[in-house]
Amino acid sequence: STLFPYTTLFRSFYSCGVAYDSSESLEVAQKRKCGICCELLDLKDGDTLLDFGCGWGSWLIYVAQNFDVKCKGLTISTE
């Protein structure tokens, strides 16, 4: 079981992503952006990821669902 289904997760994401063409949905572009960020960080099983200013935590949820990485997020957001 996950904390949020993808439909909720990606509606709570900031509206940006990486699209390869204009026909792609925002959700697809957002997931791609998450994947690219993970590739750039070269995440490996057993790593710990600390996200300062994580907002809703959407990216951390993506990482936790797709990698064997311990995730921690810090935010001042009340929502």
Side-chain angles (χ1 to χ4, degrees):
S1 150
T2 59
L3 190 57
F4 301 105
Y6 270 121
T7 54
T8 301
L9 167 63
F10 285 98
R11 285 186 189 142
S12 297
F13 220 109
Y14 293 106
S15 296
C16 62
V18 176
Y20 291 144
D21 65 60
S22 61
S23 68
E24 290 183 333
S25 68
L26 177 59
E27 183 176 342
V28 167
Q30 289 172 332
K31 287 180 184 179
R32 182 176 294 117
K33 181 186 79 170
C34 290
I36 289 170
C37 290
C38 293
E39 286 177 28
L40 290 171
L41 287 172
D42 194 26
L43 292 177
K44 304 226 179 342
D45 288 350
D47 282 351
T48 299
L49 179 63
L50 177 59
D51 185 1
F52 287 96
C54 66
W56 297 294
S58 301
W59 183 59
L60 289 177
I61 294 168
Y62 173 89
V63 172
Q65 290 176 337
N66 291 280
F67 296 89
D68 184 20
V69 172
K70 185 176 183 178
C71 298
K72 297 214 177 229
L74 299 171
T75 185
I76 61 171
S77 176
T78 58
E79 295 183 27

